[in-house]
Every structure is written in structure tokens, then in C-alpha cells.
């Protein structure tokens, strides 16, 4: 999955197939130029090499996935939309700057939604709960810099109460 701006700046990338860095850069460059070169009213699906590319523009960001020929384009479009909804709900009207300054949160949300390029969790509520739990642990760790990373039984109880 690639997220890039209208100017062609890469904002986030997640690869589910191993490629060498040089090839990743080439593929990224080609996909960005191909998608940006298309007119706004054109279809969001295109064939590229031996893959299908599914993309969608939200405000100033393009969300782009390259899928296998046998994968469902509409399901991929729905996954992109679900990811945007999650980002929007977490950040409250997400913008490009939210992705730039909170890229680790954006990656974490994507990892909660997809594993190995396959949908893991369909419930927005469950994904957001996992993110809130991570935020809670991060805040707790930030508040006590001398504490060890291992959690105490009280931490687990507090976390389980927050998740309910």
C-alpha cells in the first residue's frame, strides 16, 4: 500500500511482498507517476505489469494498492476506504500533516487492519480499541521514564477496564 500526495511525495508505504530497495523505489516512482497522470473522472482500477492497481484519492492524498490478478478490486477499494475511515475517526478529519507527523500511528492502524496483505479485522471499533490501548500504554510509559517496560498486574487491570 502506498500513500502519496498530489505532488508525488510518498507519505507511507507498506510492502507485503519482498522486493529489493532499488526495485521498491522504481515501482513506487512508476506507480505514482501512472496514478497522478490519470484524469480525475477515470476508473480507479488499472492494469499494471502483471498486477491490478486500485487507488482512491481522498483530499490531497492518494491511497494505492497493487493486487494480484485474482484479487477483488472492489474489496480492495473497500479496504482502502475502511483505512481512511479509521484514520479519520482517530485524527478527527485526517489530513496529510497528520500522516506526516504521526506516521507510526498510521502504520499501527494499517497493521491492525491488515496482516500480510490480508484483512485481519473488519470492525472499526476493535481496531480503534487496540489503538487506544496502545496510546494508554505509551502514555503510561511516558509518565514514568524510570519504570521498566514490563507491565504489572495493576497495569493489565487498568487496560482491561479501559477496553470495556
Amino acid at each position: 500500500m502506498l500513500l502519496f500526495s498530489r505532488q508525488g511525495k510518498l507519505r507511507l508505504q507498506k510492502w507485503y511482498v519482498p522486493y529489493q530497495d532499488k526495485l521498491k523505489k522504481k515501482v513506487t516512482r512508476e506507480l505514482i507517476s501512472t496514478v497522478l497522470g490519470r484524469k480525475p473522472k477515470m476508473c480507479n482500477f488499472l492494469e499494471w505489469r502483471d498486477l491490478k492497481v486500485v487507488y482512491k484519492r481522498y483530499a490531497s492524498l492518494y491511497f494505492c494498492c497493487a493486487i494480484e490478478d485474482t484479487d477483488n478490486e472492489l474489496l480492495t477499494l473497500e479496504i482502502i476506504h475502511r483505512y481512511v475511515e479509521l484514520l479519520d475517526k482517530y485524527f478527527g478529519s485526517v489530513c496529510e500533516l497528520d500522516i506526516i507527523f504521526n506516521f507510526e500511528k498510521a502504520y499501527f492502524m494499517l497493521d491492525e487492519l491488515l496482516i500480510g496483505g490480508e484483512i485481519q479485522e473488519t470492525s472499526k471499533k476493535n481496531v480503534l480499541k487496540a489503538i487506544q490501548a496502545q496510546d494508554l500504554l505509551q502514555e503510561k510509559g511516558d509518565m514514568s521514564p524510570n519504570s521498566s517496560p514490563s507491565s504489572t498486574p495493576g497495569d493489565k487491570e487498568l487496560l482491561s477496564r479501559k477496553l470495556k
Side-chain angles (χ1 to χ4, degrees):
M1 178 170 297
L2 301 175
L3 269 70
F4 52 92
S5 68
R6 288 185 303 185
Q7 293 77 30
K9 299 266 188 197
L10 187 63
R11 298 300 181 201
L12 186 114
Q13 62 178 328
K14 184 72 174 183
W15 296 81
Y16 296 105
V17 177
Y19 287 113
Q20 293 179 349
D21 286 343
K22 191 174 182 179
L23 186 57
K24 282 183 184 180
K25 287 178 184 174
K26 182 181 179 199
V27 166
T28 302
R29 224 178 12 256
E30 283 182 29
L31 278 175
I32 289 174
S33 64
T34 301
V35 170
L36 288 177
R38 293 173 61 88
K39 292 185 170 82
K41 297 286 183 188
M42 293 181 88
C43 181
N44 289 350
F45 312 133
L46 63 106
E47 291 184 10
W48 182 78
R49 295 186 183 176
D50 59 341
L51 300 170
K52 290 187 280 189
V53 175
V54 179
Y55 69 93
K56 181 80 172 139
R57 179 179 164 196
Y58 290 92
S60 64
L61 284 175
Y62 283 89
F63 292 73
C64 180
C65 292
I67 59 174
E68 294 176 356
D69 200 31
T70 58
D71 289 337
N72 187 333
E73 302 96 337
L74 293 175
L75 182 60
T76 305
L77 201 55
E78 183 61 32
I79 290 170
I80 290 171
H81 186 69
R82 179 59 51 107
Y83 183 51
V84 171
E85 286 178 327
L86 284 168
L87 290 169
D88 209 41
K89 194 141 189 132
Y90 182 79
F91 291 112
S93 189
V94 68
C95 68
E96 191 174 346
L97 289 175
D98 290 324
I99 303 293
I100 292 169
F101 292 115
N102 299 293
F103 65 90
E104 68 283 343
K105 295 287 183 205
Y107 275 116
F108 184 73
M109 276 186 232
L110 189 58
D111 289 341
E112 285 295 314
L113 185 65
L114 300 172
I115 286 187
E118 301 292 329
I119 192 85
Q120 168 188 305
E121 181 60 68
T122 57
S123 168
K124 287 186 281 189
K125 190 184 289 187
N126 288 347
V127 172
L128 289 170
K129 277 184 183 179
I131 294 162
Q132 290 168 347
Q134 183 207 28
D135 288 348
L136 183 66
L137 290 173
Q138 189 175 3
E139 286 174 17
K140 187 163 177 42
D142 290 344
M143 289 172 38
S144 55
N146 294 331
S147 68
S148 67
S150 63
S151 61
T152 64
D155 293 341
K156 291 177 184 174
E157 183 181 320
L158 178 66
L159 182 60
S160 67
R161 273 190 274 142
K162 276 282 197 184
L163 290 176
K164 290 180 182 175

